[in-house]
């Protein structure tokens, strides 16, 4: 069984990204990720080469400061992009890049996404596919020339 996925640190909250790699096919990988992210309360929208996912409302953080502090985790806007890596040779493991493009600093965002990735990894491993989730890296750690 895979180890639980750790959330990103405050230092990595500049568009944190990790890679999910599995022996299962690309479609199976995307399906597992979409199901896990959806069960974490994200709305999933298919796009070419992956999907976008969002939860919360714009301005949710400001509203929660006025109404009540615990609402921050429920209302804060968090957006993810999940894209299949295009540099995968035939026969290689499928890889998906998971990037938090908005809301990475929001309270609870890191933990919520990490739990969703743990669920996806566990589901893939239960189906017999070895799965690896890399550690998070920030945009400044990856550089600007990373191919997707």
């Amino acid at each position: 069984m895979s180890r639980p996925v750790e959330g990103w640190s405050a230092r990595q909250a500049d568009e944190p990204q990790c890679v999910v790699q599995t022996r299962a096919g690309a479609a199976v990988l995307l399906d597992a990720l979409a199901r896990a992210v959806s069960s974490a309360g994200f709305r999933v929208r298919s796009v070419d080469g992956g999907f976008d996912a969002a939860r919360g409302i714009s301005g949710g953080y400001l509203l929660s400061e006025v109404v009540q502090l615990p609402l921050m985790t429920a209302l804060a806007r968090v957006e993810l992009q999940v894209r299949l890596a295009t540099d995968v040779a035939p026969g290689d493991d499928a890889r998906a890049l998971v990037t938090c493009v908005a809301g990475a600093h929001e309270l609870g965002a890191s933990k919520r996404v990490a739990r969703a990735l743990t669920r996806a990894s566990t589901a893939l491993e239960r189906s017999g596919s070895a799965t690896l989730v890399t550690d998070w890296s920030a945009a400044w750690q990856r550089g600007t020339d990373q191919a997707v």
Side-chain angles (χ1 to χ4, degrees), residues 97-135:
L97 287 76
V98 179
T99 309
C100 183
V101 294
H105 291 282
E106 300 295 351
L107 185 65
S110 174
K111 185 180 288 187
R112 184 178 305 274
V113 173
R115 285 181 183 159
L117 292 179
T118 299
R119 280 194 299 276
S121 176
T122 302
L124 287 164
E125 288 187 354
R126 281 189 191 138
S127 69
S129 298
T131 304
L132 170 71
V133 180
T134 65
D135 292 333

Side-chain angles (χ1 to χ4, degrees), residues 1-147:
M1 186 120 159
S2 65
R3 66 179 173 88
V5 176
E6 296 291 326
W8 57 80
S9 67
R11 185 179 148 105
Q12 296 165 323
D14 174 27
E15 288 196 7
Q17 182 181 80
C18 73
V19 177
V20 181
Q21 181 174 332
T22 185
R23 296 192 191 285
V28 174
L29 174 58
L30 281 180
D31 183 59
L33 289 170
R35 287 176 188 267
V37 166
S38 180
S39 72
F42 286 82
R43 292 174 305 285
V44 175
R45 182 175 59 93
S46 293
V47 297
D48 286 341
F51 64 86
D52 293 336
R55 69 167 278 117
I57 59 174
S58 297
Y61 179 79
L62 296 175
L63 178 64
S64 68
E65 285 186 350
V66 174
V67 180
Q68 187 179 6
L69 190 62
L71 288 176
M72 288 188 331
T73 58
L75 297 178
R77 182 84 171 164
V78 179
E79 297 178 22
L80 299 176
Q81 280 185 348
V82 178
R83 299 292 186 269
L84 289 173
T86 57
D87 60 350
V88 177
D92 284 353
D93 292 352
R95 287 192 331 253
L97 287 76
V98 179
T99 309
C100 183
V101 294
H105 291 282
E106 300 295 351
L107 185 65
S110 174
K111 185 180 288 187
R112 184 178 305 274
V113 173
R115 285 181 183 159
L117 292 179
T118 299
R119 280 194 299 276
S121 176
T122 302
L124 287 164
E125 288 187 354
R126 281 189 191 138
S127 69
S129 298
T131 304
L132 170 71
V133 180
T134 65
D135 292 333
W136 293 97
S137 63
W140 61 268
Q141 292 171 312
R142 295 187 304 274
T144 57
D145 58 351
Q146 180 177 355

